[in-house]
Structures are given as structure tokens and as C-alpha cells.
Amino acid sequence: MRKQDMDKRVTISGLPETPREFGFWMDGGWQGARTLYERISPAHGVPVTRIPVCTVDDLNAAVAAARRAFEDRSWAGLSGADRAGVLLRAADILRQRRDEIAYWEVLENGKPIAQARGEIDHCIACFEVGAGAARMLHGDSFNSLGDGLFGMVLREPVGVVGLITPWNFPFLILCERVPFILASGCTMVVKPSEVTSATTLILGEILAEAGLPKGVYNVVTGSGRTIGQAMAEHPDVDMLSFTGSTGVGRSVVHAAADSNFKKLGLELGGKNPIVVFADADLEDAADGAAFGISFNTGQCCVSSSRLIVDRRVADEFEALVVAKMQKIVVGDPLDEATQIGAITTDAQNATILSYIEKGKAEGAKILTGGAAADLGRGSYITPTLFTGVTRDMSIARDEIFGPVLSSFRFDTTDEAIALANDTVYGLAASVWSKNIDTALTVSRRVRAGRFWVNCIMAGGPEMPLGGFKQSGWGREAGTYGVEEYTQVKSVHVEIGKRNHWIK
Ligand code: NAD
């Protein structure tokens, strides 16, 4: 295959006449691959991209390129201001190519075009915040060790980072990490999900145009079982940032332990509670609940999938959520009016439908949804609300990763908190109450890495994200995110004449 000369004047409406063919990105340029995987749009059933199926040799070459770029100091040796300059130029180019990137996200993932554009705006903000963080990155000093000794704590980049990402927010999850990894001075090799690789590849071209030295950002595409596993086992990868399912996260931990004890950042699954008190603005909370489970067809790690509602208002509140869910526009993701699009993979579609069947079989009652929507092509599922859910049901415990909300009732604040914490996960949570004492008590006692009070999925890349319990290790984004990709070194400086040990 010839080296790629990316055409920026792609059509950004309608379906592509032929699938767009990509190379993989290494050492500052496109590389050909022998085998290509054809991605079919989950909403339209037509081929949209052709993506390299890379080999472990390709991965090894990319890791070697990232190692060279790290050791030659072409990136780590720059000032924070110079690194920030590259990140800001990348933000500008992203702004120019926003519609194009959103378009490929839609075609590979099935998400609505209007939502995809909003996500690219968030990605631009990530680069801008990353630029600020690059300039502000600093260590610490200890002026408290006595007149004879001075202590400095240096922050140094960890080295070569492997980054493995999932398919639900291909570009957004990438951009919640890449600028912060770059801000730290690290170099990287990215392995996107095999079904949504296009925009991760396009970012290579954007970063090169922004002035990123070659070898700092590399992308190797292919399956998790081959490329992902080899990356987790790779002895020359210093840190691995993995975002995906808890099951694969566990295998990545084993692979790191069995290879070189690489540092790990893990962003895993969630079964996130939304707790609604009787004194909440119930109209607002119902909109938040319907949005929290339906956005991105519930294929969000932070989807609020367990509704925990005050028994005094439960019937009224569930009716409000049903009314909201029934108004959500399910449709072709290329249609501007669509609010939720296609389920991204056939396997995920089957998983969601199987959980709906399990919920019914276990005795929960469907108040709305619970079925596939037939739009002629693609897989769509209408937002679903189950009531009468008990703690032991699979729809209460498992991450479904679809638009399926399970409703529970509580009588006391303690009971609401216990229900919220009754999960192996701890990714995100939300509470709705106009009583500041209630809202703060729940925020402080529910174990989750991200918390929303009278809102849901709000925030910006200034704030850290990550999970408690089996939802992961470490934090991404903001200054916390940059620090995650550094390690600290204590430097001790003696001042004056040494007090001799051998007299
Ligand atoms: P997944 O775990 O199947 O795949 C994630 C990535 O890991 C993909 O790139 C895949 O190719 C790769 N992979 C698969 N097997 C691997 C292996 N053995 N070794 C190394 N890499 C391997 O997850 P998914 O289905 O793509 O995404 C859905 C999951 O991701 C959900 O559980 C969701 O909660 C989670 N997620 C978490 C966050 C977060 O920030 N916590 C964000 C998004 C998604």
C-alpha cells in the first residue's frame, strides 16, 4: 500500500463513496500495512474505513521509535512553554478540522453528529488545558532539612507510555490523555479500539503539523488480543494507560506484573448511581436521569445506570423519567436532530438485549423501552427503564453499557448511601437535592471518583477523572493527569563542609 497522503477535503456529509484507507502512524509519518480491516458503519451497514491490522513487529518498531524520541530529548528536553506551543497549535488545527473528525467518529462509532462535534470541542479544550499544565508543571523543595542540606523534588516524565483506548468515545478519551501525557514530556504508542481507529490515526497527522517531533506520538492499530496484549507485556513500555473493561484491565495488571512492572493507569467500568431526594427539582432530575443513561446510547463508563429514588416521590419521578425517555430522538446519527444513534458493535447490541431479557426473567418490570428500534438498517435500542429492581439482579450489578436504567427505592439517607455503594465499581455518582446538608453528605460518603450535585456528566478537562474500587487506578486530565505520567525524584544537596564519618 502506498504511503498515505491524507485528503483533508473529504466529504463531510452523506456516506463516503469508498471506504477511507489509512496507514498506521509511526515516527512522524504514515506506514503501510499488509492487511487491512474494513470497518462497517454500525448505523448504515456500509464500509467506511480500512484500517491496518498491525503485527507485533510493527508494535516493536513503534515502541523503538518512541524510545528513541524519548532518549534524544527532542521532546522531554523542551521547555514547558515550547511543549505548550505545540499543544496550542494542535488545538487550532483541531478547530479547523472539527467537522471532519466528528464525521469519522459518527461513521465508525454510530454516535450523533451534533454530539460528536461537541466532543471535539471538549478535545480542543483538553489540548488548551494540557498546554497550561505543561507550563506549570513543577516539583517541590524542602527548605526544612537544616542549614546543611537542601532538598528538591523533581518531576520527571515516566518515559515511553502505551495508551490503550476503547470504542465508546474514541477521540474524546484519547484527548483526555494525549495532551497531558505530552505535557509531562513522555513519548507514546497508542492502540485504539480496532473498530474505531480512524480519528486516533488522524491525530498523528495533526500533531506532526503542529510541530511535534517525530517518534513522540505513534499509533499501532489492530486487535486487543495481539497488539494490546503485546503492549501490556512489552518490556520497553514504562507505563501503560488502559481504558476499557474491568476484565481486560485485570489481564493488563497480570501482564505488567509478569513483564517489567510497568506503571499502570486504569480507567475501567462503572455501575453508577443517581440518587434523587424528594426535595430535588424533580423535573431537572428526571431530565438528568434520562440524559445520564441515554447519552451515547448508554455506552459511557460514567452512565448513571442505577436510579436510587426517595420512595415518597418514586412513582411520580419514574413517570417523569419515562416521559423524558419517550421524547428522546433515536435516529440516523448523520441527522442533525438525532439524540441517540446506533449501538456501536453487534456484540454490544446482543449484550444489551440479553440484559433486558435477564431483567424481565428476574422479575423487574419495564416502564418504557426494552426493545430494539427498527430504522431499516443498523442496531438501535430505545431508552429503557426497569422498576422493581432488587440488589441481587444482574441488571442491578453488572455494567450493561447500554440505555438501560434500573430503579431502586430508599426511605432514609443512610439507605440511599448504602445502595449507592453496593457495587464493586466506584467510577461516578450523582445526587439531586436542594438541601445542602443532604447533597454534601451523600457526596462525601459515596465512594466514586467523580461526583455531580444537581447535574450529571458536567465538567471540563481541568478536573481529574478516574475511579475508586474496581473502576481503576490513577487519574487522568488536569494537573493531576500530567503528574500521573511523571515520577518524582528526591535530590539532596549538601551545603558547606561535610561532617566526616571517618574521623
Ligand atoms: P475492552 O476492554 O474490550 O477494550 C478496550 C481496549 O482494550 C480496546 O482497544 C481493545 O482492543 C483492548 N484490548 C482487548 N483485549 C486486550 C488485552 N488482552 N490486552 C490489552 N488490550 C486489550 O473495552 P471496550 O468494550 O472497548 O469498552 C467498553 C468498556 O470500557 C466498558 O467496560 C467501559 O466502562 C470501559 N470504559 C471506561 C472508561 C473510564 O474512563 N473508566 C471510559 C470508557 C470506557
Side-chain angles (χ1 to χ4, degrees):
M1 196 189 80
R2 68 179 170 76
K3 280 200 178 175
Q4 206 77 31
D5 177 25
M6 301 292 294
D7 182 6
K8 292 176 198 166
R9 293 156 298 159
V10 288
T11 316
I12 51 166
S13 63
L15 291 167
E17 279 167 23
T18 51
R20 181 166 169 180
E21 192 166 309
F22 288 84
F24 65 103
W25 183 266
M26 187 174 73
D27 226 359
W30 294 108
Q31 313 290 325
R34 263 185 228 111
T35 319
L36 294 169
Y37 158 82
E38 199 163 71
R39 173 64 175 152
I40 308 286
S41 162
H44 309 100
V46 300
V48 286
T49 52
R50 305 188 78 211
I51 303 291
V53 180
C54 290
T55 62
V56 172
D57 284 346
D58 296 330
L59 173 71
N60 290 339
V63 172
R67 174 61 59 195
R68 279 195 303 278
F70 184 68
E71 300 298 345
D72 72 15
R73 310 281 302 160
S74 57
W75 184 243
L78 295 185
S79 67
D82 286 345
R83 287 208 287 271
V86 171
L87 296 175
L88 290 174
R89 281 195 293 281
D92 282 344
I93 301 167
L94 277 178
R95 212 171 266 116
Q96 291 157 25
R97 295 180 67 173
R98 170 182 183 258
D99 288 358
E100 173 207 350
I101 296 168
Y103 175 71
W104 294 107
E105 286 284 277
V106 171
L107 293 185
E108 286 196 334
N109 170 281
K111 66 178 67 211
I113 184 74
Q115 176 192 321
R117 285 195 212 103
E119 288 175 16
I120 311 305
D121 291 339
H122 177 82
C123 296
I124 293 166
C126 288
F127 273 85
E128 291 170 343
V129 172
R135 296 193 74 145
M136 293 306 292
L137 182 61
H138 64 278
D140 204 351
S141 64
F142 282 77
N143 200 22
S144 55
L145 305 179
D147 280 347
L149 196 63
F150 180 63
M152 292 182 286
V153 180
L154 307 186
R155 281 202 176 272
E156 297 185 355
V158 171
V160 173
V161 175
L163 177 57
I164 298 180
T165 55
W167 46 256
N168 58 336
F169 290 96
F171 202 64
L172 183 135
I173 286 176
L174 179 77
C175 293
E176 283 179 338
R177 286 143 186 75
V178 168
F180 305 99
I181 297 171
L182 292 178
S184 75
C186 288
T187 62
M188 74 184 92
V189 180
V190 190
K191 207 298 282 175
S193 165
E194 43 275 57
V195 295
T196 54
S197 300
T199 54
T200 303
L201 290 162
I202 293 172
L203 186 63
E205 196 182 52
I206 290 172
L207 289 171
E209 192 182 333
L212 190 72
K214 70 186 176 77
V216 176
Y217 176 90
N218 309 277
V219 183
V220 178
T221 47
S223 82
R225 228 172 280 131
T226 52
I227 304 301
Q229 184 72 26
M231 190 184 261
E233 291 170 354
H234 206 292
D236 208 26
V237 169
D238 299 303
M239 176 170 173
L240 182 70
S241 168
F242 172 82
T243 303
S245 58
T246 297
V248 177
R250 206 178 299 281
S251 78
V252 157
V253 172
H254 287 295
D258 291 342
S259 53
N260 61 343
F261 281 112
K262 55 181 63 63
K263 185 177 178 184
L264 291 176
L266 301 173
E267 301 282 332
L268 309 173
K271 189 73 182 174
N272 310 296
I274 170 168
V275 184
V276 179
F277 284 84
D279 62 14
D281 180 323
L282 295 184
E283 293 277 349
D284 281 2
D287 189 69
F291 167 73
I293 190 61
S294 306
F295 180 69
N296 212 45
T297 54
Q299 298 174 130
C300 305
C301 52
V302 293
S303 291
S304 46
S305 50
R306 291 183 300 137
L307 170 62
I308 298 170
V309 57
D310 198 320
R311 192 179 305 279
R312 291 168 290 173
V313 294
D315 289 338
E316 176 193 352
F317 187 71
E318 285 174 353
L320 289 170
V321 175
V322 167
K324 285 279 182 185
M325 280 181 162
Q326 289 176 348
K327 281 194 195 158
I328 293 170
V329 182
V330 183
D332 184 329
L334 284 171
D335 185 333
E336 292 289 340
T338 293
Q339 287 177 293
I340 68 173
I343 305 298
T344 305
T345 66
D346 290 344
Q348 190 55 32
N349 189 53
T351 300
I352 300 167
L353 292 174
S354 79
Y355 272 108
I356 291 173
E357 289 312 312
K358 277 187 210 166
K360 288 194 264 186
E362 286 170 344
K365 186 178 159 208
I366 289 187
L367 291 182
T368 187
D374 184 4
L375 302 190
R377 54 184 180 177
S379 306
Y380 297 83
I381 295 177
T382 50
T384 301
L385 177 59
F386 271 108
T387 193
V389 181
T390 55
R391 290 178 181 217
D392 51 326
M393 291 181 186
S394 50
I395 58 168
R397 310 213 70 80
D398 299 352
E399 182 187 47
I400 299 173
F401 224 53
V404 182
L405 179 59
S406 299
S407 179
F408 305 79
R409 296 173 181 207
F410 70 86
D411 293 300
T412 65
T413 302
D414 280 348
E415 200 188 337
I417 291 167
L419 271 166
N421 281 329
D422 186 20
T423 170
V424 297
Y425 297 111
L427 195 58
S430 159
V431 63
W432 298 72
S433 168
K434 290 296 181 194
N435 182 321
I436 186 74
D437 295 351
T438 306
L440 271 178
T441 299
V442 177
S443 312
R444 293 168 75 176
R445 285 181 45 200
V446 172
R447 299 186 62 209
R450 266 201 278 183
F451 212 100
W452 291 290
V453 178
N454 295 324
C455 59
I456 204 144
M457 294 193 211
E462 295 84 353
M463 300 277 281
L465 47 105
F468 283 29
K469 303 198 279 183
Q470 292 186 34
S471 290
W473 291 346
R475 295 293 177 268
E476 303 283 359
T479 47
Y480 293 88
V482 181
E483 288 177 0
E484 203 69 41
Y485 294 97
T486 65
Q487 49 198 343
V488 291
K489 179 184 281 175
S490 296
V491 178
H492 306 81
V493 183
E494 184 155 305
I495 300 167
K497 183 77 182 145
R498 176 173 172 78
N499 179 11
H500 284 224
W501 184 54
I502 304 159
K503 302 287 181 194

